[in-house]
Amino acid sequence: MEKPLSISVVIPAFNEEKYIESCLKSVKGQSYKPCEIIVCDGNSNDRTRQIAKKHATKVIIEKKRSAAAERQKAADMAKGEIIAFIDSDTVAEKDWLRKMAEEFKPGVVAVYGRVLMRDGSKVDNVLAALFTPYIRFTDLIGKPAVAGMNMAVRKDAFKRIKGFNLKLKTAEDIDLFNRIKRHGKIRYADAVTYTSARRLKHWGYKKFFFFHAANLIRYTLTGRSQQEYEDVR
């Protein structure tokens, strides 16, 4: 019988007192238990760290305010064979880690799943569901539309590529997968997380979809991404 993979879960956070407890409870309640949960806080000025300490294995601080820097600092401390990433305004289905782990066959270095809305309107939820076929299509053509709140990597491959590109403010998740795929296969898992719809509500559909589409095109063509990304809390 194969030994189960050890999985460290990394959660970046900044002023997330509203959401982080539900995120952590969803990770702790997984059917496939993580070996540790590491929260890296971007120097919050609310109760984020106090809440995180009740549930996480480790809570650390990264004063450089970016999701990439927070994920990187926590990942550098991870002891699991696999590092799974979820955001602090996001919750995971109970079998999230189990489904991710099942895809890590020999030669697979990274896995990603789909993201739905946890607090969106009916229209928001329909649009998110319609995005799933697109995600599957990007998997088939070898250009995965990965989201940082639902992805996992082998730690040894992550270290070989030196982790995230900390110069990127956005698209750091897509960039990570573009570089890690040189060291093995990437797989899509039907593993679901549910993220906050707050940016969609704050920006509106037009700005939200235009920004992300333009950002993806810019990164694909130039290897650079938008450096301005408004904090929405």
Side-chain angles (χ1 to χ4, degrees):
M1 185 175 178
E2 288 186 19
K3 179 184 175 183
L5 292 165
S6 57
I7 303 180
S8 299
V9 176
V10 162
I11 306 172
F14 179 69
N15 287 346
E16 292 288 6
E17 63 180 7
K18 179 179 177 181
Y19 289 105
I20 194 165
E21 188 160 42
S22 58
C23 171
L24 287 162
K25 285 182 175 179
S26 78
V27 174
K28 289 176 71 176
Q30 289 293 300
S31 59
Y32 190 113
K33 300 299 181 185
C35 67
E36 61 181 350
I37 303 170
I38 307 174
V39 173
C40 187
D41 178 71
N43 210 24
S44 295
N45 52 30
D46 66 358
R47 296 179 57 249
T48 296
R49 289 195 297 279
Q50 293 93 309
I51 296 169
K53 286 175 182 178
K54 297 178 183 177
H55 304 281
T57 312
K58 300 180 186 125
V59 178
I60 56 178
I61 297 174
E62 171 54 68
K63 292 184 179 180
K64 181 179 178 181
R65 177 66 201 110
S66 82
E70 291 158 16
R71 291 183 183 125
Q72 184 68 47
K73 188 165 185 175
D76 286 341
M77 300 179 66
K79 62 184 181 183
E81 300 164 85
I82 305 296
I83 306 171
F85 299 89
I86 186 171
D87 284 357
S88 47
D89 65 341
T90 305
V91 294
E93 287 192 339
K94 191 174 182 66
D95 289 336
W96 172 57
L97 287 181
R98 178 184 63 78
K99 290 179 178 179
M100 298 290 266
E102 287 174 350
E103 295 298 326
F104 276 101
K105 308 297 185 187
V108 174
V109 294
V111 176
Y112 69 108
R114 59 194 176 108
V115 179
L116 300 176
M117 298 294 182
R118 64 181 289 184
D119 53 3
S121 67
K122 289 182 179 180
V123 175
D124 298 339
N125 293 332
V126 168
L127 290 173
L130 291 175
F131 194 65
T132 301
Y134 168 74
I135 293 175
R136 297 304 304 270
F137 173 71
T138 63
D139 175 51
L140 291 173
I141 64 173
K143 294 186 178 296
V146 60
M149 68 285 289
N150 191 354
M151 64 183 190
V153 296
R154 285 196 188 273
K155 183 172 67 175
D156 57 357
F158 181 82
K159 286 187 172 181
R160 281 201 296 272
I161 65 169
K162 299 182 179 178
F164 292 96
N165 180 350
L166 300 184
K167 294 179 181 179
L168 295 177
K169 178 74 172 178
T170 58
E172 75 287 342
D173 39 16
I174 294 172
D175 175 77
L176 180 76
F177 269 52
N178 276 338
R179 289 182 292 114
I180 207 168
K181 69 182 180 183
R182 300 167 193 164
H183 297 276
K185 299 175 183 177
I186 291 175
R187 288 285 182 264
Y188 169 83
D190 189 27
V192 183
T193 62
Y194 298 84
T195 197
S196 167
R198 62 189 174 190
R199 187 174 297 277
L200 180 59
K201 292 175 180 178
H202 182 73
W203 278 5
Y205 296 121
K206 182 178 179 181
K207 180 176 179 179
F208 184 89
F209 289 108
F210 178 79
F211 176 90
H212 287 291
N215 200 34
L216 179 60
I217 293 169
R218 178 177 178 175
Y219 172 77
T220 301
L221 295 177
T222 69
R224 297 190 298 271
S225 65
Q226 296 285 355
Q227 289 302 299
E228 297 298 324
Y229 196 55
E230 175 190 7
D231 275 329
V232 176
R233 294 293 183 273

